[in-house]
């Protein structure tokens, strides 16, 4: 139970959850061993040279670039 309830804008729950994930990743408050062995595409995938395949943005970059505290604050109210 919390001492204070601070509501967020209805429909912004996903942005709020991704904002929490962004903080956990940026402050390295996650299980690095689990991420290394049990997940894919957490880190960026560089472009494959000479094969014409572009790189892919990993979850870490997506959270850092798209779910900043400023954006989450604005969207969740």
């Amino acid at each position: 139970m919390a001492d204070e309830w601070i509501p967020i804008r209805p429909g912004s729950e996903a942005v709020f959850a991704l904002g929490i994930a962004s903080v956990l990743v940026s402050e390295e408050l996650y299980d690095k061993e689990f991420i290394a062995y049990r997940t894919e595409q957490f880190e960026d995938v560089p472009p494959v040279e000479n094969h014409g395949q572009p790189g892919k943005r990993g979850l870490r970059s997506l959270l850092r670039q798209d779910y900043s505290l400023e954006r989450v604050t604005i969207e969740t109210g």
Side-chain angles (χ1 to χ4, degrees):
M1 293 184 59
D3 294 332
E4 184 178 355
W5 178 60
I6 302 171
I8 62 172
R9 185 173 293 128
S12 65
E13 293 85 1
V15 172
F16 182 73
L18 288 166
I20 291 172
S22 179
V23 170
L24 293 174
V25 169
S26 68
E27 296 187 11
E28 298 189 8
L29 300 173
Y30 61 93
D31 185 342
K32 293 166 192 65
E33 185 175 327
F34 178 86
I35 294 295
Y37 293 107
R38 304 284 185 190
T39 66
E40 295 180 10
Q41 298 181 350
F42 183 74
E43 301 293 344
D44 293 344
V45 177
V48 179
E49 296 194 20
N50 301 324
H51 291 93
Q53 295 180 355
K56 293 184 181 180
R57 191 165 61 149
L59 179 62
R60 179 191 298 273
S61 292
L62 179 130
L63 292 172
R64 182 177 52 241
Q65 295 170 4
D66 296 348
Y67 294 94
S68 66
L69 290 179
E70 294 79 18
R71 175 189 175 196
V72 172
T73 300
I74 290 167
E75 291 195 28
T76 61

